[in-house]
């Protein structure tokens, strides 16, 4: 498309910032985000075809309607627009297919040749292969090769696929007068003065001071050298001779402003023969790759190894067919690898990164879909009856009507249970959406078909909560159910083991105790795992191995953003209970400062005076768990004696014995205590409909998803409920995060925002989360690329689920998928 070039870089930046801030229609200096994009697309450049002009008008209209759109509609529009701009303006700048990728010239390392009788020139003439050892490259040598092995880099192939973790763009050359603080730039000027001296305050710190001039102005820049070797007077004089007056210097760095004016922070320097001379440096005047390093391995050492290996990039075969690359506008793999290391400009870098991010997501999704396909080839699971007297009796016992969402999800599950292939379904639902009822129907389907079921929860509190609820229903259905946790007495444990083996016990509820070896089911047909992301992959697998390919139903009350769900659970069928029972009121949420603490205590007093109850939650910081428990004890004593002497104030924390925790919760449920001071042990599973106030101290220490979970402990009855977020932090980010809770009750929106603020690993809150080890891709920034990769993987599986027609893709998948998931995903 030949058109005048619109300011698409500003559009991309606006779209990126809008996505980062949660699609809130940001207000800029002149316009709102939606107004800016609507006006921009309302002025199509000259030279567009009629169809393209219509496309621009349609997009202008879409952004005009942006304020009225739902969150999902806004996300889709922003993602589609970013992709359109990428294809239209960035992808259009791609180099021709037959053009060789840019490869910097290698510089020979000063090392002794490996074979003394052969000079280094001989090695240069012998073209290295992808599997050749790095140490045998003359530019690397044995000594440097040994250092590079510390990074896991042994071969040419290893270093080519060792992508930079970041890039610094020094490609833009500007005049000294044009320097703006915060930019990374390159300047070329003449040396007006050079000085090199030891710091008067620290004789181990040497300062190289240069004043450079060009036709527009002058600038003083400093470089700092720490160590005795630089304090040597001879070394300092050598530096002065290196940068004589009137020598032409190229300098690259980040522009900083101080009280003396602008300067370059820790600049890279190169001496040029003349002002118009070519800059040959690996770091000056170009987009510079930044690699993850380790002790003894310098950045230049890695860069030199990459440059030495880059000529071999032509030997890499691209596994993706040309038709697929063309359909998704992907660069050739050889070009992408060359340009991710040493791109000539930032546009080329964006094209290269897009291809390599697509690859990471594509092979991950292909592996998950293959795993799902192989699981469904198993035909040994129990075929369970979807209807029967037990399920009918249970429906009649319920004092409420199921929501439409509950009925839909139950139908999904019962359809799965009628097949001999094992069900592997994830049920997501916000707090209070009624997931337990859904799970009970699945459990009853197993029991009425003559099979046993197991329900595993991550904590004793949650397991006991499930057990208490199930006992009430199962007693009326004349069915036995038992609880097995780490606190279960030995005699009771032996009795449970015996009843499981004989088949007398149809349902066992418990914690990790369920996966211990003595637990043997006679005929396990269904496994239910609650808050499954809190268990490791191995733990979940061990419970499944207690039966012969049992059906698996996993549940979570922690809404997971779609990008995380696709990455973690791309091999599962997903159902959402996205409808709350009727009558639930919105929880009134307020962020308070320490000065407003008395308002919080007044609200608690008023609610308790009306017969209600309240939670006061203290943060649990892993680094100092004992200190936190002591703080909880002290806070409990202070509240009981000084703030609420007229009420009964209880205490609950994770270091209490199971019996003491159970006793405290029972007293709170029975309204024998009106206020309970607790740590996050009450985050999930505690159900006290009479509790209407949740006060969370130091709320800035919690993630948004965790705060939303805690808030879900109130609002479970008919009365108006309140959540008070007490924060001592005044930072803008902390305030913005907590305001999200004030504005929204939607768990999926809150989890999306939580991931943007804290990243996916923190949102999941556990090292056992099973997050893949992605090198370039970001689950926050690359949402649209993930969606495209998933689509491509689904199309490939639809054509050939065995992938036998694409041998290169299959080979690459076997290597990448194992590496991405550390092998654990294949359990």
């Amino acid at each position: 498309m030949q058109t005048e070039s619109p300011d698409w870089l500003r559009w991309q930046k606006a779209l990126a910032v809008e996505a980062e801030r949660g699609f809130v229609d940001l207000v800029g200096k002149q316009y709102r985000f939606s107004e800016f994009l609507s006006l921009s697309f309302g002025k199509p450049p000259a030279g567009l075809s009629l169809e393209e002009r219509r496309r621009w008008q349609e997009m202008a209209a879409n952004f005009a309607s942006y304020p009225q759109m739902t969150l999902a509609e806004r996300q889709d529009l922003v993602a589609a627009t970013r992709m359109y701009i990428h294809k239209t303006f960035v992808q259009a700048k791609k180099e021709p297919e037959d053009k060789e990728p840019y490869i910097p010239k290698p510089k020979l390392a000063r090392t002794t040749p490996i074979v003394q009788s052969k000079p280094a020139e001989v090695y240069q003439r012998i073209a290295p292969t992808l599997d050749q050892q790095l140490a045998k490259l003359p530019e690397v040598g044995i000594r440097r090769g040994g250092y590079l092995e510390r990074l896991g880099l042994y071969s040419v192939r290893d270093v080519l696929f060792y992508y930079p973790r970041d890039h610094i763009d020094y490609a833009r050359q500007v005049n000294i007068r044009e320097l703006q603080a915060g930019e990374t730039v390159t300047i070329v000027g003449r040396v007006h003065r050079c000085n090199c001296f030891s710091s008067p305050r620290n004789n181990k710190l040497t300062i190289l001071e240069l004043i450079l001039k060009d036709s527009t102005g002058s600038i003083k820049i400093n470089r700092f050298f720490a160590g005795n070797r630089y304090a040597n007077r001879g070394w300092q004089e050598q530096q002065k001779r290196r940068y004589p007056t009137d020598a032409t210097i190229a300098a690259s760095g980040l522009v900083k402003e101080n009280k003396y004016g602008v300067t370059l922070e820790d600049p890279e320097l190169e001496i040029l023969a003349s002002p118009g001379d070519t800059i040959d440096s690996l770091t000056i005047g170009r987009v510079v790759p930044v690699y993850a390093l380790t002790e003894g391995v310098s950045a230049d050492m890695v860069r030199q190894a990459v440059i030495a290996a880059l000529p071999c990039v032509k030997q890499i075969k691209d596994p993706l067919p040309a038709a697929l690359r063309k359909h998704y506008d992907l660069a050739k793999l050889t070009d992408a690898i060359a340009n991710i290391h040493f791109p000539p400009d930032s546009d080329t870098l964006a094209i290269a990164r897009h291809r390599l991010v697509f690859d990471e997501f594509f092979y991950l999704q292909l592996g998950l879909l293959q795993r799902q396909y192989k699981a469904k080839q198993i035909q040994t699971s129990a075929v369970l009856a979807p209807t029967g007297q037990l399920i009918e009796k249970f429906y009649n016992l319920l004092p409420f009507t199921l929501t439409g969402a509950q009925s839909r999800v139950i139908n999904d599950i019962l359809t799965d249970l009628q097949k001999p292939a094992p069900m592997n379904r994830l049920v997501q639902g916000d707090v209070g959406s009624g997931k337990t009822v859904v799970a009970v129907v699945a459990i009853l389907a197993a029991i009425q078909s003559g099979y046993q079921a197991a329900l595993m929860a991550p904590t004793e509190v949650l397991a006991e909560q499930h057990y208490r609820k199930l006992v009430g229903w199962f007693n009326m259905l004349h069915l036995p159910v038992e609880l097995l946790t780490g606190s279960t007495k030995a005699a009771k444990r032996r009795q449970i083991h015996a009843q499981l083996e004989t088949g007398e016990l149809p349902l066992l509820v418990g914690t990790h105790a369920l996966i211990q070896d003595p637990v043997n089911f006679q005929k396990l047909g269904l496994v239910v795992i609650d808050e499954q992301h809190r268990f490791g992959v191995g733990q979940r697998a061990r419970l499944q191995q207690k039966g012969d390919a049992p059906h698996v139903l996993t549940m979570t009350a922690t809404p997971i953003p779609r990008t995380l769900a696709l990455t973690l659970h791309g091999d599962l069928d997903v159902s959402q209970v996205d409808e709350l029972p009727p009558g639930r009121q919105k929880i009134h949420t307020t962020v308070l400062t320490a000065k407003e603490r008395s308002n919080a205590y007044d609200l608690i007093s008023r609610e308790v005076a009306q017969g209600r109850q309240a939670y006061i939650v203290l943060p649990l910081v892993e680094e100092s768990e004992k200190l936190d428990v002591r703080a909880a004890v002290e806070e409990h004593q202070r509240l009981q004696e000084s703030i609420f002497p007229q009420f009964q104030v209880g205490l609950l924390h994770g270091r209490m014995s199971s019996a003491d925790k159970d006793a405290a919760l029972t007293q709170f449920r029975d309204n024998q205590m009106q206020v309970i001071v607790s740590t996050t042990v009450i985050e999930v599973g505690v159900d006290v409909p009479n509790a209407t106030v949740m006060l969370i101290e130091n709320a800035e220490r919690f993630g948004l998803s965790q705060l939303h979970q805690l808030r879900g402990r109130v609002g479970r009855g008919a009365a108006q409920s309140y959540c008070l977020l007490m924060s001592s932090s005044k930072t803008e980010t902390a305030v913005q995060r907590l305001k999200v809770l004030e504005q929204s009750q939607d768990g999926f929106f809150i989890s999306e925002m939580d991931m943007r603020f804290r990243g996916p690993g923190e949102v999941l809150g556990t090292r056992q989360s099973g997050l893949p080890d992605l090198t370039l891709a970001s689950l926050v920034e690359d949402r649209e690329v993930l969606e495209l990769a998933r689509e491509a993987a689904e199309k490939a599986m639809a054509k050939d689920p065995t992938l036998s027609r694409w041998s290169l893709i299959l080979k690459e998948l076997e290597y990448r998928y194992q590496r991405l998931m550390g092998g654990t995903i294949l359990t």
Side-chain angles (χ1 to χ4, degrees):
M1 180 181 71
Q2 299 297 321
T3 70
E4 58 191 65
S5 180
D7 195 0
W8 59 268
L9 280 171
R10 289 180 64 205
W11 304 351
Q12 280 282 46
K13 187 172 182 180
L15 288 159
V17 172
E18 173 71 4
E20 286 170 12
R21 298 296 175 86
F23 308 94
V24 294
D25 201 10
L26 287 166
V27 179
K29 291 181 180 178
Q30 288 183 290
Y31 304 106
R32 278 189 169 277
F33 163 77
S34 55
E35 293 169 341
F36 171 65
L37 267 295
S38 182
L39 288 169
S40 299
F41 279 106
K43 300 173 184 176
L48 290 178
S49 67
L50 182 60
E51 184 180 346
E52 279 293 305
R53 291 183 69 84
R54 284 177 182 162
R55 174 80 185 270
W56 280 56
Q57 290 166 1
E58 182 183 335
M59 292 174 81
N62 285 340
F63 279 104
S65 304
Y66 189 83
Q68 287 77 47
M69 290 182 179
T70 65
L71 173 65
E73 289 170 339
R74 290 183 180 190
Q75 288 176 329
D76 290 342
L77 178 58
V78 169
T81 307
R82 291 176 77 174
M83 188 59 64
Y84 174 77
I85 291 172
H86 177 83
K87 289 165 66 175
T88 307
F89 301 107
V90 180
Q91 200 76 23
K93 291 190 173 188
K94 276 205 302 188
E95 298 176 4
E97 289 287 309
D98 56 349
K99 186 175 179 180
E100 292 292 324
Y102 168 77
I103 300 175
K105 295 176 182 177
K107 295 183 179 180
L108 282 177
R110 297 176 183 174
T111 57
T112 306
I114 297 160
V115 181
Q116 298 292 341
S117 61
K118 293 183 179 180
E121 289 77 15
V122 173
Y123 292 101
Q124 284 183 301
R125 286 197 296 269
I126 301 171
T129 65
L130 290 170
D131 296 321
Q132 185 162 327
Q133 290 181 358
L134 281 175
K136 291 188 178 180
L137 297 179
E139 300 89 349
V140 178
I142 294 175
R143 185 175 64 85
R144 292 190 181 193
Y147 283 121
L148 291 168
E149 286 179 4
R150 297 179 184 179
L151 293 173
L153 305 178
Y154 298 92
S155 69
V156 169
R157 186 190 303 273
D158 291 338
V159 81
L160 286 177
F161 284 92
Y162 191 66
Y163 301 145
R165 63 174 175 80
D166 199 1
H167 292 80
I168 304 173
D169 189 356
Y170 292 145
R172 194 165 75 91
Q173 185 176 324
V174 300
N175 294 322
I176 292 174
R177 186 177 59 191
E178 298 167 355
L179 292 175
Q180 296 286 332
E183 296 181 339
T184 52
V185 297
T186 295
I187 58 172
V188 175
R190 290 181 298 102
V191 176
H192 179 66
R193 189 171 75 236
C194 174
N195 196 11
C196 191
F197 56 92
S198 297
S199 169
R201 296 183 179 180
N202 180 0
N203 59 11
K204 292 185 179 180
L205 180 67
T206 298
I207 303 171
L208 173 65
E209 183 182 271
L210 286 169
I211 294 180
L212 300 182
K213 283 190 171 183
D214 67 6
S215 59
T216 68
S218 64
I219 184 174
K220 183 170 83 169
I221 57 179
N222 294 324
R223 287 200 72 186
F224 300 94
F225 303 88
N228 289 327
R229 57 181 287 217
Y230 304 111
N232 181 284
R233 192 66 194 160
W235 186 89
Q236 294 176 357
E237 289 299 322
Q238 184 185 32
Q239 294 302 303
K240 291 181 184 178
R241 290 193 297 273
R242 188 178 180 187
Y243 302 105
T245 303
D246 284 335
T248 301
I249 301 290
S252 294
L254 175 66
V255 183
K256 285 289 186 82
E257 190 165 8
N258 55 35
K259 60 183 178 180
Y260 303 110
V262 294
T263 186
L264 295 184
E265 183 179 57
D266 195 23
E268 300 281 352
L269 303 172
E270 182 179 347
I271 303 167
L272 304 181
S274 64
D277 192 22
T278 303
I279 301 173
D280 290 328
S281 168
L282 295 181
T283 55
I284 297 172
R286 64 164 65 252
V287 180
V288 181
V290 180
Y291 297 92
L293 304 173
T294 191
E295 186 178 356
V297 184
S298 69
D300 275 345
M301 193 182 295
V302 178
R303 290 177 188 132
Q304 289 286 1
V306 171
I307 290 172
L310 275 176
C312 300
V313 79
K314 302 171 191 174
Q315 300 172 28
I316 297 173
K317 294 180 180 178
D318 197 331
L320 300 189
L324 187 149
R325 295 203 311 270
K326 183 178 181 181
H327 182 77
Y328 290 102
D329 287 318
L330 302 173
K332 290 197 297 186
L333 183 59
T334 51
D335 292 351
I337 291 174
N339 290 324
I340 199 68
H341 289 292
F342 285 97
D345 53 57
S346 54
D347 287 348
T348 309
L349 171 61
I351 293 166
R353 185 183 179 280
H354 179 77
R355 164 63 201 265
L356 298 176
V357 167
F358 180 93
D359 278 12
E360 282 194 307
F361 283 142
F362 175 71
Y363 291 110
L364 172 62
Q365 293 303 314
L366 205 53
L368 290 167
L369 291 170
Q370 273 247 305
R371 184 178 181 220
Q372 183 183 56
Y373 168 76
K374 289 175 182 176
K376 289 184 177 179
Q377 301 313 299
I378 299 171
Q379 299 290 312
T380 59
S381 297
V383 176
L384 307 181
T387 57
Q389 288 188 354
L390 275 182
I391 292 178
E392 290 302 319
K393 284 182 181 178
F394 176 64
Y395 285 152
N396 292 332
L397 289 175
L398 294 176
F400 53 81
T401 303
L402 296 179
T403 64
Q406 284 174 311
S407 298
R408 185 185 69 249
V409 174
I410 286 172
N411 187 57
D412 290 343
I413 293 168
L414 293 179
T415 301
D416 289 346
L417 295 179
Q418 296 174 66
K419 301 172 184 175
M423 173 178 73
N424 209 354
R425 184 169 292 277
L426 169 67
V427 173
Q428 282 188 278
D430 223 331
V431 284
S433 60
K435 297 179 301 300
T436 307
V437 171
V438 170
V440 171
V441 174
I443 290 168
L444 293 177
I447 293 173
Q448 71 185 10
S449 300
Y451 290 87
Q452 294 167 294
L455 192 160
M456 185 167 72
T459 65
E460 287 194 8
V461 169
L462 185 52
E464 287 164 4
Q465 179 75 37
H466 280 309
Y467 173 70
R468 187 173 289 104
K469 192 173 285 187
L470 287 165
V471 161
W473 287 325
F474 273 48
N475 281 346
M476 290 186 280
L477 294 169
H478 308 292
L479 292 172
V481 56
E482 292 288 359
L483 175 68
L484 182 65
T485 69
S487 305
T488 305
K489 303 293 184 187
K492 182 65 174 177
R493 190 180 293 266
R494 286 194 296 272
Q495 179 189 341
I496 290 172
H497 291 166
Q499 290 178 337
L500 281 177
E501 290 183 4
T502 61
E504 297 172 63
L505 184 60
L507 173 62
L508 179 61
V509 179
T511 56
H512 304 74
L514 295 189
I515 62 177
Q516 302 305 316
D517 290 337
V519 177
N520 296 311
F521 292 82
Q522 185 197 59
K523 203 176 180 183
L524 182 63
L526 174 69
V527 169
V528 180
I529 303 173
D530 197 14
E531 294 299 327
Q532 55 83 38
H533 64 279
R534 296 188 176 208
F535 293 101
V537 173
Q539 292 172 320
R540 299 197 294 265
R542 282 180 66 186
L543 181 56
Q544 291 168 241
Q545 289 160 8
K546 299 284 182 180
D548 183 12
H551 297 285
V552 179
L553 177 65
T554 54
M555 303 192 298
T556 179
T558 306
I560 304 173
R562 176 166 167 78
T563 48
L564 262 184
L566 276 179
T567 306
L568 285 172
H569 310 305
D571 58 333
L572 305 184
D573 297 308
V574 180
S575 296
Q576 292 185 356
V577 185
D578 50 8
E579 183 181 350
L580 290 176
R584 285 287 177 92
Q585 292 192 46
K586 180 180 178 181
I587 301 167
H588 189 77
T589 305
T590 310
V591 179
L592 301 176
T593 63
K595 294 178 182 178
E596 299 169 297
R597 185 178 299 278
S598 60
N599 296 345
Y601 292 157
D602 288 345
L603 176 62
I604 291 173
S605 295
R606 289 198 304 271
E607 286 294 300
V608 174
Q610 295 176 44
R612 312 294 181 200
Q613 292 166 273
Y615 298 96
I616 297 178
V617 179
L618 302 175
L620 179 67
V621 180
E622 291 177 4
E623 291 83 359
S624 183
E625 186 173 344
K626 291 180 181 177
L627 178 64
D628 274 314
V629 171
R630 190 161 63 249
V633 172
E634 292 169 357
E635 180 69 0
H636 166 253
Q637 184 178 352
R638 185 184 75 84
L639 290 168
Q640 179 67 88
E641 293 175 0
S642 306
I643 308 300
F644 304 119
Q646 72 277 34
F647 305 134
Q648 188 65 38
V649 181
L651 176 65
L652 181 67
H653 58 73
R655 292 174 67 85
M656 292 168 62
S657 70
S658 181
D660 288 344
K661 279 190 286 189
D662 196 44
L665 281 171
T666 300
Q667 286 180 303
F668 190 62
R669 282 191 197 96
D670 296 342
N671 206 358
Q672 294 174 20
M673 59 176 70
Q674 290 75 49
V675 179
I676 191 165
V677 178
S678 173
T679 57
T680 53
V681 70
I682 56 100
E683 182 183 343
V684 291
V686 177
D687 187 4
V688 182
N690 193 48
T692 57
V693 182
M694 167 72 67
L695 168 60
I696 304 174
E697 297 280 359
N698 298 110
E700 73 279 358
R701 294 197 191 181
F702 298 88
L704 296 183
S705 294
Q706 193 176 25
L707 289 171
H708 181 60
Q709 284 279 353
L710 288 166
R711 176 169 64 179
R713 298 309 103 207
V714 296
R716 305 177 81 85
Q720 175 65 59
S721 292
Y722 305 88
C723 180
L724 309 174
L725 305 174
M726 189 72 67
S727 173
S728 57
S729 176
K730 295 179 181 178
T731 65
E732 185 180 351
T733 302
V735 173
Q736 279 183 344
R737 286 179 62 245
L738 296 180
K739 289 293 183 184
V740 171
L741 272 294
E742 274 192 344
Q743 296 161 7
S744 178
Q745 309 265 326
D746 181 347
F748 289 95
F749 171 73
I750 290 167
S751 67
E752 286 276 2
M753 295 303 298
D754 203 14
M755 189 168 75
R756 291 181 182 280
F757 279 117
R758 298 194 303 151
E762 289 295 320
V763 169
L764 293 168
T766 171
R767 291 182 181 179
Q768 292 185 325
S769 61
L771 271 177
D773 187 15
L774 299 168
T775 305
L776 289 174
S778 162
L779 296 179
V780 178
E781 297 299 325
D782 298 314
R783 174 177 175 261
E784 52 264 47
V785 186
L786 173 56
E787 297 279 0
L788 289 176
R790 175 72 176 194
E791 176 191 297
E794 287 174 343
K795 287 180 177 178
M797 287 293 293
K799 288 182 180 177
D800 181 6
T802 66
L803 303 180
S804 56
R805 68 165 72 177
W806 300 294
S807 58
L808 287 178
I809 287 181
L810 187 57
K811 184 179 178 181
E812 188 73 10
L813 171 64
E814 289 170 355
Y815 169 75
R816 285 204 186 218
Y817 192 59
Q818 278 274 14
R819 190 164 177 172
L820 262 178
M821 307 307 290
T824 55
I825 198 73
L826 301 179
T827 302

